[in-house]
Amino acid sequence: MGKETVAPRQLPADLDDWKVYDLVSLSTGETVWIKGFMGFSMKRRKIGSFTVVDLPSWDTQTLHLKHVVPPEAVWEELRLNLKADVVGIGIKEPLMRNLFESYSSFFARKASYLRVIRPRILVVEGELDDIWKYKLDKKARNAIRRAERVGLRAEEINPWEHIPDILECNRSKRGVPPSYTNEEALANEIKFLALNFRKFYSIGVFLKDKLIGYEFTMFSNNELALFSRFLINYKYKELNIGELLLWKGIEKAVKEGAKLIQYGSWSRYHPGLDTFLEHFGFRKDFKTLNVYIPLTLVGRIFLMQKRFANRIVNSTVLEHLLQHKIFRNHWYALKRIRVKIT
C-alpha cells in the first residue's frame, strides 16, 4: 500500500490558533482523521488469521490544543472506522505533553495488553554551547577532546559509499552476531529509513580515510530526532569513537531543529550504554505507553496469546539467563534476525 496524502480540512475560526505537526507518516499506510482535525498514519498487517492496525505515528500528529479533543472522541472514531481485530497505539509523553496523562489513562483502561517503556531522551535547551557546558559532564567532554587529539574526525556521510566499512563495524565485536548478515540486508534498511521518515541522514567517524564508526538519524517530525544503529569498529575502541560520534550526532540534530533526541530505551540489560548516555545528559523521566485494544472477539483471543507469550519471555528462567553476557548477546541477535524489513 502506497502513501496517501490527505489535505487538512478547514479549521473553524475559533480554532485557528492550533498548531498541527507535519502529517508525514512513519510507515506507509492510510491516513485516519479524527473529527476532521487529528491525523494518524495507519499500518495494517496480518498476523496469521488476525488483522492488526498500528498507529505508529501517534506522536507525530500531536496537537498543541486550545480546545482539547477528548480521548473518548478519538476512541469512538477509531472503534467505528477501523476494520481490524486489534488496534495498537503508541503514546509518547515528551511529545503529547499535557495530553499524555488523560490519553494514556483512558487507553490503558481499554487495553487488553500494554507495555510501558522509558525512552532515553535528551531535551534540547538553549544553544549548542549550553548543551556542551550543562548537559555533558566533564568525563564526556574530555573523551571528545581526546578523540579529536588523536586525529578522529566526524562528518555527515552517504552510507551507500561506505557499505564495506559499515559491515565491518557490525562484525567487529567478538561474541555478538552482526545486525546485517549481508550487503542486501543493509541496503534494504537504508532504503526503508530514507523512504519512511521525515528526514534521514548518517554521521560517520573517520581515522584518516577509514570509517570506524557510524550512526543513523531519523526525524519522525520537526522536533524529535531518533538515533539508530550506533556502532563502532571495536578494533579501535580505545580511541573514544563513541563519544565523538554521539556529540556530532547531537550537534547535527540540534542544527536541524530537534527539540528532543531519543536513543532507544533504558534497559537493565545494557547498564554500560545507560551510563554512557547519562554522561551526555539523557533523562529517565519520560514514558511511552504502547497499548493494544481488541475490537473483536478474535482480537481478544490474539491478545490472550500475546500476554501468555510475554509471560514466557519475561519468565524467571529467561531473566536469569539474560544476566549472563553470552546468553544476552544471542537473545538480542535472535530478536534482530526475526525482524524482516520489507
Side-chain angles (χ1 to χ4, degrees):
M1 185 184 294
K3 285 188 179 180
E4 179 181 325
T5 303
V6 181
R9 302 181 191 177
Q10 187 65 40
L11 296 175
D14 62 336
L15 300 179
D16 60 6
D17 61 335
W18 285 20
K19 173 190 173 186
V20 184
Y21 284 142
D22 300 298
L23 298 176
V24 178
S25 61
L26 287 176
S27 305
T28 56
E30 304 164 69
T31 299
V32 178
W33 288 92
I34 304 300
K35 302 302 181 188
F37 307 124
M38 187 181 294
F40 297 90
S41 297
M42 185 178 78
K43 182 171 66 174
R44 188 182 299 272
R45 57 195 172 102
K46 294 287 288 186
I47 303 178
S49 59
F50 306 107
T51 301
V52 178
V53 168
D54 290 316
L55 303 177
S57 301
W58 170 277
D59 54 290
T60 68
Q61 278 81 49
T62 303
L63 304 175
H64 293 304
L65 304 179
K66 178 178 178 182
H67 306 286
V68 174
V69 177
E72 293 82 358
V74 175
W75 167 243
E76 193 65 16
E77 195 87 357
L78 294 176
R79 187 181 65 82
L80 294 175
N81 291 288
L82 292 185
K83 307 301 181 184
D85 299 309
V86 174
V87 59
I89 305 174
I91 309 171
K92 290 192 175 183
E93 182 180 11
L95 289 168
M96 292 295 289
R97 296 183 174 87
N98 59 320
L99 296 179
F100 179 80
E101 289 301 328
S102 62
Y103 272 74
S104 61
S105 60
F106 176 82
F107 283 105
R109 292 195 300 270
K110 293 287 183 184
S112 289
Y113 177 80
L114 63 85
R115 293 177 61 213
V116 178
I117 299 170
R118 295 199 172 272
R120 306 181 184 111
I121 297 285
L122 175 65
V123 179
V124 177
E125 297 170 316
E127 303 297 326
L128 271 171
D129 285 345
D130 298 317
I131 297 174
W132 174 266
K133 292 177 183 176
Y134 304 118
K135 297 288 187 180
L136 278 64
D137 64 15
K138 184 177 179 180
K139 183 174 181 179
R141 293 194 297 268
N142 287 340
I144 295 166
R145 294 187 185 107
R146 284 196 298 271
E148 291 174 334
R149 281 199 298 270
V150 298
L152 300 189
R153 74 179 194 280
E155 60 190 47
E156 186 174 352
I157 63 170
N158 180 352
W160 293 107
E161 298 174 356
H162 300 279
I163 296 290
D165 286 336
I166 289 175
L167 289 175
E168 184 179 341
C169 289
N170 275 267
R171 296 167 178 166
S172 65
K173 189 172 183 180
R174 293 180 61 187
V176 179
S179 301
Y180 315 109
T181 53
N182 51 45
E183 290 188 9
E184 182 182 2
L186 172 57
N188 286 341
E189 178 166 76
I190 295 172
K191 290 177 185 176
F192 176 84
L193 297 175
L195 287 172
N196 290 285
F197 281 88
R198 180 76 173 88
K199 191 182 300 181
F200 166 71
Y201 57 83
S202 182
I203 303 291
V205 172
F206 291 86
L207 179 61
K208 296 183 179 179
D209 294 325
K210 182 176 179 59
L211 181 78
I212 58 173
Y214 77 99
E215 62 89 19
F216 293 156
T217 299
M218 299 84 70
F219 274 69
S220 60
N221 64 19
N222 286 336
E223 294 190 355
L224 176 64
L226 307 170
F227 287 171
S228 175
R229 296 302 187 204
F230 190 100
L231 290 169
I232 68 171
N233 190 324
Y234 274 79
K235 296 176 184 176
Y236 307 93
K237 64 180 181 179
E238 71 281 355
L239 299 181
N240 299 113
I241 307 168
E243 287 83 355
L244 180 62
L245 182 58
L246 182 56
W247 170 242
K248 292 301 180 181
I250 292 170
E251 189 178 78
K252 170 69 173 174
V254 171
K255 289 178 180 178
E256 292 289 334
K259 303 298 182 187
L260 300 161
I261 299 172
Q262 180 177 344
Y263 184 163
S265 302
W266 300 102
S267 170
R268 57 184 165 179
Y269 302 124
H270 296 95
L273 180 56
D274 288 348
T275 301
F276 172 72
L277 292 172
E278 286 175 346
H279 291 307
F280 283 78
F282 281 75
R283 289 167 47 178
K284 296 182 176 181
D285 52 341
F286 293 109
K287 290 185 292 186
T288 293
L289 187 69
N290 293 330
V291 300
Y292 293 88
I293 306 171
L295 300 178
T296 65
L297 177 60
V298 173
R300 290 186 182 278
I301 295 171
F302 170 77
L303 292 177
M304 286 173 61
Q305 295 175 350
K306 189 175 180 68
R307 285 200 305 271
F308 178 73
N310 190 62
R311 278 199 293 270
I312 295 175
V313 168
N314 293 320
S315 66
T316 304
V317 174
L318 182 59
E319 186 172 321
H320 177 73
L321 291 175
L322 289 177
Q323 302 302 319
H324 300 279
K325 186 175 181 180
I326 186 169
F327 290 106
R328 185 166 66 246
N329 288 342
H330 286 281
W331 169 252
Y332 285 107
L334 177 63
K335 289 175 69 177
R336 286 199 296 269
I337 291 168
R338 288 168 59 194
V339 177
K340 182 180 179 182
I341 296 175
T342 57

